[in-house]
């Protein structure tokens, strides 16, 4: 099979390499010329524009987008669409909002597969987990590509119609937030608690047979090994948050309570503020009702 890949960053480049390794051909484009040159060195055919990707593929074009979610996806589709017809297939493997994906599936002439992708850069070796939404025929047609990009045949499946792949990935990310939060809380208690513990040793022991072993826990083990039990200079500032926000928004629309995911998202937002206003007010209110001491801090303004 011949696959066009647009977006050759951390994730797109893995798609290229794994598809090439499986014996398929790749036509590759990125707005970063160096990324295109690197992909060409790895065996892909370089293209110098999005339209050129479509032109360089034969009839029945199969194209994988791995660009940042949002405007770059719409921009790529706008440029591709005049070159596509109903026999063609476009996969969006990024973290797009599922409603954007259903809109795009309606708008483009090609069959559109929204593909939630999990596994991160570690997927270069292991392959990804792929959650695909869209027409069955298009999914079936791309099974050889999904087999190559995923961990294997068990690492991908069609979730349902347009939007369902990115919907499942959105919820996956909400779960990811809550798992990160709960490991964080457990290790915080161990760190602050009554024993002087080697947290790498704790994580390693848990990862060997414990009920709570997982890949995220292996990453905790790696973090403590590389940074130390006190996490060294790692700041308490957590970036990102879009996919968790979408998960919480959807839970409100569906009236499904997901308090752990909501709490984890809130913690992430909290990590970006300095002194927290509500805690400062609680501090002052305790003086108001009980004449308890008010802890005070130097303020810059
Ligand atoms: N990094 C991760 O662990 C994961 C990322 N994702 C999603 O995969 C998508 C890609 O992520 P990464 O590879 O990490 O990002 P990245 O920032 O490493 O790569 C994005 C690439 O897209 C290129 N690009 C941007 N606009 C373009 C355009 N209009 N045309 C062609 N190329 C364009 C950039 O030059 C860059 O090389 C995002 O939607 C992300 O949320 C999904 C799962 C895991
Ligand atoms: O999808 C992912 C992991 O599963 C990506 O790492 C994504 O970039 C996470 O983004 P955020 O933390 O902003 O939700």
């Amino acid at each position: 099979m011949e696959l066009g890949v647009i977006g050759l960053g951390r994730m797109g480049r893995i798609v290229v390499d794994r598809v090439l390794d499986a014996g398929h051909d790749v036509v590759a484009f990125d707005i970063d010329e160096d990324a295109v040159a690197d992909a060409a060195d790895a065996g892909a055919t370089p293209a110098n524009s999005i339209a050129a990707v479509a032109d360089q593929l034969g009839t029945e074009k199969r194209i994988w987008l791995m660009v940042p979610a949002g405007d770059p996806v719409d921009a790529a589709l706008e440029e591709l669409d005049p070159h596509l017809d109903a026999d063609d297939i476009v996969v969006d493997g990024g973290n797009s909002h599922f409603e954007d994906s259903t809109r795009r599936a309606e708008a483009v002439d090609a069959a559109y597969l929204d593909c939630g992708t999990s596994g991160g850069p570690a997927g270069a070796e292991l392959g990804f987990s792929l959650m695909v939404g869209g027409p069955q025929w298009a999914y079936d047609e791309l099974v050889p590509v999904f087999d190559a990009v995923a961990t294997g045949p068990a690492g991908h499946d069609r979730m349902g119609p347009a939007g369902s792949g990115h919907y499942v990935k959105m919820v996956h990310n909400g779960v990811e937030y809550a798992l990160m939060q709960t490991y964080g809380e457990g290790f915080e208690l161990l760190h602050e608690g009554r024993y002087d513990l080697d947290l790498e040793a704790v994580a390693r022991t848990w990862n060997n047979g414990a009920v709570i072993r997982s890949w995220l826990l292996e990453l905790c083990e790696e973090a403590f090994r590389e940074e130390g039990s006190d996490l060294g200079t790692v700041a308490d500032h957590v970036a990102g948050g879009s996919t968790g926000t979408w998960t919480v928004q959807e839970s409100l629309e569906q009236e499904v309570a997901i308090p752990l995911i909501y709490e984890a998202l809130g913690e992430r937002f909290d990590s970006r503020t300095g002194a927290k206003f509500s805690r400062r007010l609680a501090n002052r209110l305790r003086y108001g009702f009980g004449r308890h001491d008010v802890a005070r801090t130097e303020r810059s303004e």
Side-chain angles (χ1 to χ4, degrees), residues 48-110:
N48 61 12
S49 70
I50 287 174
V53 172
D55 289 343
Q56 285 173 231
L57 294 168
T59 53
E60 301 191 344
K61 304 174 198 309
R62 280 82 182 92
I63 299 173
W64 188 304
L65 302 178
M66 211 64 192
V67 298
D71 292 343
V73 179
D74 284 317
L77 290 174
E78 199 177 309
E79 200 174 332
L80 277 176
D81 209 31
H83 303 267
L84 301 176
D85 62 35
D87 294 331
D88 300 323
I89 304 172
V90 176
V91 180
D92 173 13
N95 270 330
S96 295
H97 192 285
F98 69 94
E99 285 175 332
D100 286 336
S101 298
T102 49
R103 168 179 58 78
R104 290 166 184 149
E106 296 258 305
V108 294
D109 288 333

Side-chain angles (χ1 to χ4, degrees), residues 1 24 136 138-149 153 156:
M1 188 174 300
H24 306 291
Q136 183 74 53
Y139 172 78
D140 292 343
E141 173 69 19
L142 280 192
V143 160
V145 165
F146 293 138
D147 282 348
V149 176
H156 62 88

Side-chain angles (χ1 to χ4, degrees), residues 5-13 29-33 35 50 65-73 75-76 79 92-96 115-122 128 166 169 172-173 176 242-243:
V5 179
I6 296 171
L8 307 172
R10 284 165 297 192
M11 299 293 281
R13 181 54 202 271
F29 173 72
D30 194 293
I31 49 176
D32 176 350
E33 288 176 9
I50 287 174
L65 302 178
M66 211 64 192
V67 298
D71 292 343
V73 179
E79 200 174 332
D92 173 13
N95 270 330
S96 295
C115 175
T117 303
S118 181
F128 295 132
H166 281 148
K169 178 60 177 20
H172 161 287
N173 280 26
E176 177 183 291
S242 57
T243 56

Side-chain angles (χ1 to χ4, degrees), residues 97-278:
H97 192 285
F98 69 94
E99 285 175 332
D100 286 336
S101 298
T102 49
R103 168 179 58 78
R104 290 166 184 149
E106 296 258 305
V108 294
D109 288 333
Y112 197 74
L113 295 175
D114 52 284
C115 175
T117 303
S118 181
E125 299 273 311
L126 304 169
F128 295 132
S129 164
L130 301 174
M131 300 140 254
V132 186
Q136 183 74 53
W137 77 264
Y139 172 78
D140 292 343
E141 173 69 19
L142 280 192
V143 160
V145 165
F146 293 138
D147 282 348
V149 176
T151 54
H156 62 88
D157 211 336
R158 178 178 176 267
M159 302 291 117
S164 61
H166 281 148
Y167 191 84
V168 173
K169 178 60 177 20
M170 174 189 76
V171 175
H172 161 287
N173 280 26
V175 172
E176 177 183 291
Y177 284 37
L179 289 174
M180 287 164 64
Q181 181 65 21
T182 191
Y183 284 127
E185 289 182 11
F187 281 111
E188 181 158 359
L189 181 55
L190 293 176
H191 183 252
E192 303 297 326
R194 36 181 94 213
Y195 296 96
D196 182 19
L197 295 165
D198 174 347
L199 295 188
E200 182 201 345
V202 173
R204 185 176 56 249
T205 308
W206 281 353
N207 275 322
N208 282 277
V211 169
I212 59 172
R213 64 190 182 274
S214 72
W215 188 50
L216 277 174
L217 189 57
E218 288 171 23
L219 297 179
C220 294
E221 184 182 332
E222 177 187 278
F224 293 128
R225 183 168 57 251
E226 293 179 0
E227 308 286 348
S229 277
D230 63 355
L231 290 179
T233 57
V234 176
D236 60 347
H237 174 114
V238 192
S242 57
T243 56
T245 301
W246 299 340
T247 312
V248 169
Q249 285 168 339
E250 174 65 0
S251 78
L252 296 175
E253 268 188 50
Q254 299 299 326
E255 299 187 9
V256 174
I258 53 168
L260 296 181
I261 294 174
Y262 175 77
E263 192 65 32
L265 178 67
E267 280 291 327
R268 189 178 289 212
F269 291 154
D270 257 9
S271 77
R272 301 172 203 168
T273 59
K276 195 163 157 46
F277 194 86
S278 60

